[in-house]
Amino acid sequence: MKFTITFFILLVGGLLQAQTLADFEELAVLPDSFLNGSDLSGGFRSGNVFLPNSFNEEFQSWSGWAISNTTDTTTPGFLNQYSAITGEGVDSSATYGVSFSSGMNILRLEDQALGQPVTGFFITNSTYAYLSMLEGDAFAKRFGGATGDDPDFFLLTIQGFSGGALTDSVVEFYLADFRFEDNSQDYIVEEWTYVDLLSLGAVDSLAFTLTSSDVGDFGMNTPAYFCVDNIETTDAEVIDPIARFESLEVLPDSFLNGSDLSGGFEVGSYFFPNSFDTTFGSWSGWAISNTTDTTTPGFLNQYSAITGMGVDMSPTYAVSFGSSRILPTGDAAGEPVPGMYITNSTYAYLSMLEGDAFAKRFGGATGDDPDFFLLTIKGHFNGEVTEDSVDFYLADFRFEDNAQDYIVDEWTYVDLSVLGPVDSICFALSSSDVGDFGMNTPAYFCVDNFGAEAPLATNIFSPISQQLTFSIFPNPSTDFIRLDYPAYAQYSLYDLSGRQLTQVTPLTPGEEIDVRQLPSGNYMVKVEGKDTLGAALFVKE
């Protein structure tokens, strides 16, 4: 079976390039049947393309595009106008598109594909046109004529529109060509054939025009039909504004500490400055790491997070040492930063937990010492410090009840929106453990998903009278999921940063949810009913 798939390629800096396949398989077509616009919908959407249709109720006729899975490759004539000569779609799939127009037929691009190049598509003849050219009929001649020497042709010309004007380039594809001196080279296309359309450049729509050598008093005699499948669009490049660090090339269980003298790391919509001293091989500011050591104490393990991984089990995260700051870039400059995830480094965590040659064990021998390790976050905007700041305790032993003392050992979301518009964010660490040369606690912490919205638990849940429970299957899934929830409920999808991916949508029990276009990863389904609310995780493979 063939699927409508979105292919994502992750590039440096959080740049996402996608290609989407319009293959029509998601459209509800009864077996060996067709959709010809009789529902007056005006056309058909698949992937990121729209195929316009015009249906005449008086004459029960159509033009533009139809969608078909008919399989008749032998019946000639108009009554078999919906079949491809292949009898199926590309790669033995069921469904394909059929074009009929006496003039110019249009295919429109939508969403991320709008204004982008179209990679290409597959094309073949309809059974109606193929058999007409092969044998002739009451209206059209047999291609090649009685002797086979007539220089007949059936030509599809493809042009692009951009901003309402035709692009300069043209792609020509001969659905049949009998112009060769050697008649053995004459052909009528009877297989799915790929046509490259990248030469048309960035387009808003495609225009298709058919011409034939067989022309009469009323125009072209050859039936003005052809079939298409697997239209591959190149979607707009999208900058993921969140700094997730997975886009940076870091060797397994290794780090980037600025030794290349690049001065920092640009990820998503943020720049993380780094200063590297070539004399001592030391660094300050930010490093990028995917090291996993959560047990080795001391300075030699300065690049590990105590979690051993990034947020949501991702491999890569950022490590801060010393005075550090983050600079929003591009559209994010001068805007509020929603928030980030933070945890302790292994070095700092084990130092506070057990003490070391330079720093004390937090709580002291009795556990009663009111120790703390505090991160203070301030924003700067137009050269001024913002009015509000954010305090986050990476460790806090100041409670009267020692059972409440803690050292952060999980990724924890910190809301930064209170800082308001910023053009830089500065981080300062302070500790109760101070000596003659300043703070004894190792001045490290780790960050991931900088710029992320509030997590789902605080972003979408509201007070409810009853928790709704349900399950998702199959889980993991590659294409569709089903929910076993009551008929009165409705669902919405979220990623784990709390971003809503779909509108709130009612579903009937057992109905499938299409997740084929989601990138691989972890997602949340929220289900709401009357006075009930629930959520469950699923994995998209």
Side-chain angles (χ1 to χ4, degrees):
M1 184 177 181
K2 183 177 56 174
F3 299 103
T4 302
I5 306 171
T6 302
F7 304 95
F8 287 91
I9 303 171
L10 191 61
L11 304 178
V12 173
L15 188 66
L16 293 174
Q17 179 72 51
Q19 290 184 323
T20 301
L21 201 64
D23 62 9
F24 315 112
E25 300 302 311
E26 75 276 24
L27 300 178
V29 188
L30 294 175
D32 211 23
S33 185
F34 53 84
L35 304 174
N36 64 0
S38 59
D39 61 356
L40 304 182
S41 61
F44 311 96
R45 286 181 173 82
S46 181
N48 285 332
V49 303
F50 179 76
L51 288 72
N53 168 281
S54 177
F55 188 83
N56 187 306
E57 289 185 282
E58 181 179 358
F59 297 100
Q60 291 292 295
S61 61
W62 66 282
S63 63
W65 297 92
I67 307 299
S68 176
N69 59 23
T70 58
T71 59
D72 188 341
T73 64
T74 60
T75 304
F78 171 76
L79 294 180
N80 190 20
Q81 63 178 312
Y82 298 102
S83 290
I85 191 58
T86 57
E88 60 189 359
V90 171
D91 297 330
S92 301
S93 64
T95 312
Y96 47 88
V98 181
S99 170
F100 165 60
S101 176
S102 57
M104 180 180 287
N105 202 6
I106 299 294
L107 179 153
R108 297 206 306 263
L109 303 183
E110 294 188 332
D111 301 327
Q112 295 290 341
L114 186 63
Q116 302 297 316
V118 177
T119 306
F121 71 125
F122 284 85
I123 185 172
T124 194
N125 274 296
S126 69
T127 301
Y128 180 21
Y130 179 89
L131 294 179
S132 173
M133 292 183 284
L134 185 68
E135 301 293 346
D137 57 33
F139 303 98
K141 67 173 290 188
R142 173 179 177 173
F143 268 34
T147 64
D149 293 332
D150 292 359
D152 290 309
F153 65 86
F154 187 34
L155 171 65
L156 175 66
T157 301
I158 310 167
Q159 297 173 277
F161 277 96
S162 180
L166 284 170
T167 57
D168 293 334
S169 298
V170 171
V171 173
E172 293 184 337
F173 180 81
Y174 283 88
L175 287 155
D177 196 349
F178 280 64
R179 300 171 302 157
F180 301 96
E181 289 187 13
D182 179 359
N183 291 348
S184 66
Q185 298 182 51
D186 296 342
Y187 67 86
I188 307 173
V189 172
E190 58 181 331
E191 296 180 349
W192 287 108
T193 306
Y194 187 76
V195 179
D196 190 320
L197 299 178
L198 285 174
S199 63
L200 298 178
V203 294
D204 303 324
S205 60
L206 298 177
F208 302 88
T209 306
L210 288 168
T211 53
S212 171
S213 55
D214 184 11
V215 179
D217 293 338
F218 299 99
M220 188 172 70
N221 294 327
T222 309
Y225 293 76
F226 64 91
C227 301
V228 301
D229 204 359
N230 284 21
I231 305 166
E232 189 176 47
T233 57
T234 303
D235 299 342
E237 295 175 340
V238 179
I239 297 292
D240 182 0
I242 299 172
R244 305 182 196 274
F245 308 107
E246 309 311 311
S247 57
L248 299 179
E249 295 183 6
V250 188
L251 293 176
D253 212 24
S254 185
F255 53 82
L256 304 175
N257 65 0
S259 59
D260 62 355
L261 303 182
S262 60
F265 312 94
E266 187 161 359
V267 190
S269 293
Y270 303 96
F271 182 73
F272 296 74
N274 166 282
S275 177
F276 188 85
D277 189 317
T278 55
T279 301
F280 298 99
S282 60
W283 66 281
S284 61
W286 294 95
I288 308 300
S289 176
N290 59 23
T291 58
T292 59
D293 188 342
T294 63
T295 59
T296 303
F299 171 75
L300 294 180
N301 191 19
Q302 63 178 311
Y303 297 103
S304 290
I306 192 56
T307 57
M309 63 185 71
V311 171
D312 299 330
M313 297 184 291
S314 64
T316 313
Y317 49 88
V319 182
S320 172
F321 167 58
S323 298
S324 59
R325 61 192 178 117
I326 297 174
L327 306 175
T329 61
D331 293 339
E335 297 294 329
V337 176
M340 65 177 183
Y341 286 83
I342 187 172
T343 195
N344 274 296
S345 69
T346 301
Y347 181 20
Y349 179 89
L350 295 179
S351 173
M352 293 183 283
L353 184 69
E354 301 293 345
D356 57 32
F358 303 98
K360 66 173 291 189
R361 173 180 178 174
F362 268 35
T366 64
D368 293 331
D369 292 359
D371 289 309
F372 65 86
F373 188 34
L374 171 64
L375 176 65
T376 300
I377 309 167
K378 296 182 179 181
H380 289 255
F381 185 60
N382 291 334
E384 300 290 335
V385 178
T386 55
E387 182 176 348
D388 292 305
S389 61
V390 174
D391 285 340
F392 179 79
Y393 283 88
L394 287 155
D396 195 348
F397 281 63
R398 298 171 303 158
F399 300 97
E400 290 188 12
D401 179 3
N402 290 348
Q404 299 182 52
D405 296 342
Y406 67 85
I407 306 173
V408 171
D409 60 357
E410 297 179 347
W411 286 108
T412 305
Y413 186 80
V414 178
D415 191 328
L416 300 178
S417 60
V418 66
L419 300 178
V422 293
D423 45 41
S424 67
I425 292 182
C426 297
F427 302 86
L429 289 166
S430 57
S431 171
S432 55
D433 184 12
V434 179
D436 294 338
F437 299 98
M439 187 173 71
N440 294 327
T441 308
Y444 293 77
F445 65 94
C446 300
V447 163
D448 202 0
N449 287 15
F450 190 86
E453 298 286 345
L456 195 62
T458 60
N459 197 37
I460 70 165
F461 285 94
S462 55
I464 57 175
S465 60
Q466 182 180 355
Q467 186 72 23
L468 185 150
T469 59
F470 65 99
S471 59
I472 302 173
F473 56 96
N475 191 5
S477 174
T478 58
D479 45 20
F480 296 91
I481 58 174
R482 294 190 298 275
L483 313 179
D484 61 341
Y485 66 96
Y488 56 77
Q490 53 190 7
Y491 87 96
S492 48
L493 295 182
Y494 294 80
D495 64 22
L496 293 190
S497 71
R499 180 179 55 169
Q500 185 170 339
L501 304 177
T502 66
Q503 296 180 341
V504 176
T505 306
L507 278 182
T508 57
E511 185 173 350
E512 293 182 324
I513 301 173
D514 188 348
V515 297
R516 292 175 295 182
Q517 296 197 43
L518 293 177
S520 298
N522 299 321
Y523 296 87
M524 180 80 77
V525 180
K526 174 188 172 186
V527 173
E528 292 181 277
K530 183 177 180 178
D531 299 322
T532 59
L533 179 66
L537 287 169
F538 76 96
V539 178
K540 167 64 191 307
E541 291 185 331

